[in-house]
Structure formats: structure tokens, C-alpha cells
Amino acid sequence: MQMEQHPNLADSLAKEMKAPVELLIGAPGQTRRVALPPGWTLEERDDETRLGAPLRKRAKVRLLDADSFIEYVKRHGSLVDSTIWGKADYQAGKVEFVSIINDHGEDDTKPQWRDHTARFSPEFSEEWRRWFGGNRKPMSQAEFAAFIEENLKDVASQDGAGLPTGAQMLEMALSFEASQDMRFKSAIRLANGGVQMSFTQDDDDQTLQKMQLFERFAIGIPVFWNGDAYRVDARLRYRVREGKLTFWYELIRQDKTLEAATTTLITKIREQTGTPFFFGDPFSQ
């Protein structure tokens, strides 16, 4: 029995009928309601899966790189009904994009379901993961020397900037490693902005080991996987306790570097898709 949809029709029939009565709402293949006798529950069934093809596109996909995200939006979206949303927490190092393929357009008479989405979170480069992950974490002399040697190729210098080269950082790191069994004795600030440290062995106070410590250095690393490299400045810090040195580095405004890389990525997405772009959460409550 086919009937027009009515707010209380199914409930009324459920109280009066002794046997199930099927009410088809809309065209076959769409959701239909079934009114059951008293004491039974009201169920919903969807026969769309029995059709030869879905009535409309629905999907929730996650892409792994910017090119795939762009191509998916271009393949399934439209300039009228699709949107792209972006949100970022640069301090926490989080960036995410989501495209709603069937979003509401400007025509109020043609609402959409907003259930076909594509998500993309840019993958950070290995270099960024290492330096960002170790930011402000104390390390022993041996640990810091090993870290510098492992990531030596990331150290960058500029002419006239007074920053150490990779070779100088390596020399300093090796001096740390050679001095790890010695006690810290003194530190003298140099005219070039560095610090010269003196170490002495526990059993011979006359034996001195000197090395130069750079208070500031720079690294050149890509922010996102397979992306362009950016310069990030860093401060080198140390603490002396019981004659032992602890080192750490502090990245200077790495959030601005991440913001710059994200802005470049947004420009690429906008230009290649032509889709309206918004900053925010499209599904916030």
C-alpha cells in the first residue's frame, strides 16, 4: 500500500493494524518505513543497495599527497557545489584540508547532502619530524654529538651571517664526544658570538680541553614530504650540573616556517582546483 508521507501516519497504523504494513515514501529504491503492530519498534530499511547503481555519489576518502587531493577534487567536484576547507594549529604542528564534493551551493533551492568528502593532511618530511620532535629536549653530550652527526646535512649557513657551517658543527660535535668523560671548568664568550668552553679530566686538573660552542645556527629542511626547503634558525642552549653538560636546541618561530609552507600549499590547491576555499571546520556543531 503506497501512501503520502505523514508525520504520525506510521505510529497511528502501528497502533491499529495487527500485521505489518509497508509504506513506500518517495520513489522505489529510496528509504522506506515499515509500520509494525503495537509493542514493536519502527524500523528503517534502505533498498538502494539492491539497485544497479547508487542514486548519488557518497564517499569518505583520505588522500596522502597534495597532487592526489587536487586530482580527486577536480575529478568528482564542481565549481558550483564543491568547497575546500582548511584548518591549522601551527604551534602544535597540525594542518588539515577537507573538500566537500557535494556541498551547498549559492542556490537555496538546491541543497546538497554534504556526505561526499575528501580529506588530506600533509605528511611532514623526515627532517622536519626529527628537528621538530627534538625541539627543546635535553640531551647529554654524547646524545647531542650523535644527533648533530646524524643530521649534519641539514645545517645551513649564509655568507656574512656569522652562522656555523656544517663542517664546523661536526667539529664541535666531535669535540663534545671526545670531552664526554671530562668535567666542565669554564666558559668564555668570544667576540664572534660563540662560547669557548674548557674541560678538565677528573684525575688531572691541569689537563684542559677547549672547544667552541655556537649559540645560534640555522638549518635548511623541507617542511612537507617532497616539498621545498625552508630556513629555520635555532638557539643552542646548555646547562651545567655537577660538572656535566646538558645540551638542547630551541627552534626560533618554527610555527612561522610551517605557516609559510602551508600558505604555499594553499595557493597551489586554490590555483589548480579553482574551488572556493574557506578557513574553518565545515562540520562544527
Side-chain angles (χ1 to χ4, degrees), residues 184 186-187 195-199 209-211 213 238 245 247:
F184 174 77
S186 63
V195 177
Q196 190 177 67
M197 291 185 172
S198 296
F199 291 80
Q209 177 77 28
K210 294 183 178 180
M211 64 183 178
L213 174 69
Y238 67 90
L245 278 172
F247 294 91

Side-chain angles (χ1 to χ4, degrees), residues 19-116:
V21 176
E22 184 179 86
L23 302 180
L24 294 181
I25 303 175
Q30 296 183 355
T31 301
R32 62 183 183 182
R33 288 193 171 186
V34 180
L36 300 175
W40 292 30
T41 59
L42 188 63
E43 299 180 353
E44 288 190 358
R45 300 174 184 173
D46 190 349
D47 289 340
E48 185 180 4
T49 56
R50 301 179 182 179
L51 299 177
L55 297 174
R56 58 187 175 84
K57 290 183 179 180
R58 286 189 295 266
K60 297 183 184 298
V61 301
R62 182 172 293 276
L63 289 311
L64 300 181
D65 59 46
D67 291 337
S68 297
F69 179 74
I70 291 170
E71 289 303 316
Y72 190 91
V73 172
K74 292 169 63 177
R75 179 183 179 90
H76 297 282
S78 74
L79 300 180
V80 177
D81 298 326
S82 299
T83 58
I84 296 178
W85 300 71
K87 60 180 180 179
D89 185 340
Y90 297 122
Q91 287 287 350
K94 297 180 179 179
V95 179
E96 184 182 31
F97 301 97
V98 57
S99 175
I100 305 178
I101 304 299
N102 57 345
D103 203 349
H104 302 312
E106 296 181 354
D107 190 343
D108 294 338
T109 64
K110 297 180 179 180
Q112 299 293 325
W113 287 98
R114 307 184 87 228
D115 58 0
H116 186 181

